[in-house]
Amino acid sequence: MLLKVPMVRMGIGAACLALVGICPLRAEPVFDGLAGAWFGIGTMKPSDGPREKVRCKVAYNVTRPGRSLTLDLRCASDAYKMVLSANIEQSGTELSGNWFESEYRQGGKVYGTNRDGLIEARIEGNTVAALVTIQTKASHQSFLMEAPGSWMSEVAIELNKEAK
């Protein structure tokens, strides 16, 4: 199946965005500081077109203190909408989990590592493969997804934690 099908196109971005919140600031409880609402903006770069602005909201729920996280992600651009859920677990420095994007009915697995506050992960689905780098500093997160050869070749987003 070619990556020109709309649901596959957004599946790449949606899968990668699932990882937006899994980077800790410290080595102790990994996910505890992420609980709550985050918001931000960024860009998506299709391989055959110009960058497009995207707006995102993410709600994180720590389900097992420090080691398990669920998220609800909603992103929109002028042309696309994504609604994503994910479950991420950490064991030692290893990360694993799954994601599902309901608008385009795409899903898959997440594999990666978390070492010294740096997430390096691979996202896989039936027709999707991407590399992701994520960093969180206090109430700010930076996310970069690169998928050379895919329809959505790059996604870059900056998120801020909503004040309580």
Side-chain angles (χ1 to χ4, degrees):
M1 176 179 210
L2 296 177
L3 287 177
K4 293 185 179 180
V5 177
M7 76 173 132
V8 174
R9 291 176 181 176
M10 292 316 298
I12 292 170
C16 294
L17 290 172
L19 288 177
V20 166
I22 60 177
C23 182
L25 180 61
R26 61 197 189 286
E28 290 118 41
V30 176
F31 299 130
D32 293 344
L34 299 176
W38 294 70
F39 62 95
I41 59 172
T43 60
M44 296 186 298
K45 171 67 174 95
S47 61
D48 62 352
R51 290 187 189 281
E52 186 168 335
K53 291 182 182 180
V54 63
R55 299 164 306 282
C56 298
K57 293 180 182 180
V58 185
Y60 298 104
N61 182 30
V62 177
T63 57
R64 196 171 50 127
R67 300 293 175 213
S68 183
L69 177 78
T70 64
L71 67 88
D72 175 33
L73 172 97
R74 297 178 184 276
C75 289
S77 71
D78 291 339
Y80 300 104
K81 177 180 171 185
M82 293 181 283
V83 179
L84 177 100
S85 60
N87 297 300
I88 307 293
E89 300 277 335
Q90 180 162 336
S91 177
T93 60
E94 301 297 313
L95 301 173
S96 63
N98 57 64
W99 61 273
F100 183 76
E101 202 291 321
S102 61
E103 285 288 311
Y104 301 94
R105 304 200 52 78
Q106 292 288 308
K109 299 289 182 185
V110 175
Y111 306 96
T113 60
N114 177 1
R115 290 190 179 98
D116 299 323
L118 174 65
I119 297 288
E120 295 178 314
R122 179 172 174 86
I123 296 183
E124 299 176 349
N126 289 339
T127 59
V128 177
L131 299 176
V132 177
T133 303
I134 302 166
Q135 289 189 318
T136 300
K137 293 182 181 177
S139 62
H140 180 80
Q141 293 179 344
S142 295
F143 167 87
L144 175 64
M145 180 277 299
E146 297 173 295
S150 294
W151 179 86
M152 188 62 65
S153 62
E154 183 181 294
V155 176
I157 299 172
E158 301 293 322
L159 293 165
N160 292 297
K161 191 170 187 180
E162 189 172 272
K164 293 182 181 181

